[in-house]
Amino acid sequence: MIRTLIMTAALAFAGAAAAQDPHAGHAMPAPAATPQSGITTVPANGAMTHGSPERFSVTFPHAMMLKTVTLTAEGQAPIVVTAPAAPAAETVSVALPRLAPGTYTAAWAAEGPDGHKMSGSVSFMVH
């Protein structure tokens, strides 16, 4: 019983320490449609937009440079949007082409000034 409590407390402490590290998990891409801790996007995961969004933005817990956003929708060819070179910032964005109505997955890739990489994806619907 005590051994189980000690093991449970140790695992909880290790999980909390990793969650507070802003660099934890950078090597692992986020699963589709699952936002990473401390990262927000516009459009947000699960959003329903009224018309095509003009931009895709990502806010990080620390400065990053957005590299690409790849948009995929069923029955359509993927659209790769390369972000123009810009200084690292906590919020980065890229202009999007006009999107037809449908459900999209936006897979993004970013890089920190020190070379560490992050990636993730969100899904949203264009009405």
Side-chain angles (χ1 to χ4, degrees):
M1 176 75 171
I2 291 177
R3 176 183 250 173
T4 301
L5 288 173
I6 291 171
M7 182 63 98
T8 302
L11 290 173
F13 178 76
Q20 293 175 358
D21 180 359
H23 294 282
H26 281 193
M28 299 292 291
T34 303
Q36 293 179 334
S37 177
I39 297 174
T40 57
T41 63
V42 176
N45 189 47
M48 289 190 227
T49 66
H50 296 286
S52 179
E54 292 182 17
R55 301 192 71 73
F56 180 82
S57 299
V58 186
T59 300
F60 298 100
H62 52 278
M64 296 291 289
M65 296 170 286
L66 188 62
K67 295 297 187 177
T68 60
V69 176
T70 302
L71 300 161
T72 55
E74 189 173 328
Q76 298 180 26
I79 302 166
V80 179
V81 181
T82 302
E90 286 186 14
T91 299
V92 292
S93 67
V94 65
L96 295 178
R98 187 152 198 64
L99 301 175
T103 300
Y104 290 84
T105 297
W108 54 265
E111 186 174 314
D114 62 357
H116 75 274
K117 297 179 185 331
M118 295 180 76
S119 61
S121 64
V122 296
S123 294
F124 61 93
M125 184 178 287
V126 175
H127 283 280

